[in-house]
Amino acid sequence: PEKVKGKVREAVDLVDWILHYEPGLWDVIPFNWLAKQVDMDKSNFRRTVRNNPDFREAMQERGLEEGELANDGCTMKGLTFIEHPFTEDPDGDYIAN
């Protein structure tokens, strides 16, 4: 959304860059990493960016949601791609009952 400004805008722009240039490299975009990139500590990032409704809306528009990834016994919180409950029809046919 155009109304996003400041640190929220920086985080959205960074996510956009990742989605454009490195989409296949990321299973999760860690919140800790995002916070460092926009020069914020974790608690301020959570309060200012993650909990911002405009940030959440922007991430949903990009097909992302908050999620977790377990790696070597550690759980990493961040942005993950929204899993769709329906698989795509390889034939592209849809028949309504």
Side-chain angles (χ1 to χ4, degrees), residues 29-49:
I29 302 170
F31 288 130
N32 289 344
W33 181 83
L34 275 174
K36 285 181 186 177
Q37 298 305 307
V38 297
D39 198 29
M40 297 181 81
D41 63 50
K42 290 189 311 186
S43 63
N44 282 334
F45 183 80
R46 181 175 41 254
R47 186 176 62 250
T48 306
V49 178

Side-chain angles (χ1 to χ4, degrees), residues 33-87:
W33 181 83
L34 275 174
K36 285 181 186 177
Q37 298 305 307
V38 297
D39 198 29
M40 297 181 81
D41 63 50
K42 290 189 311 186
S43 63
N44 282 334
F45 183 80
R46 181 175 41 254
R47 186 176 62 250
T48 306
V49 178
R50 280 178 63 187
N51 291 336
N52 184 296
D54 294 331
F55 178 77
R56 290 175 181 253
E57 180 182 339
M59 294 305 101
Q60 277 192 326
E61 288 173 358
R62 288 152 177 81
L64 298 169
E65 64 184 354
E66 288 197 18
E68 296 180 350
L69 177 69
N71 188 12
D72 293 332
C74 296
T75 301
M76 185 178 354
K77 293 183 180 183
L79 296 169
T80 62
F81 287 96
I82 295 172
E83 291 188 30
H84 297 284
F86 304 106
T87 58

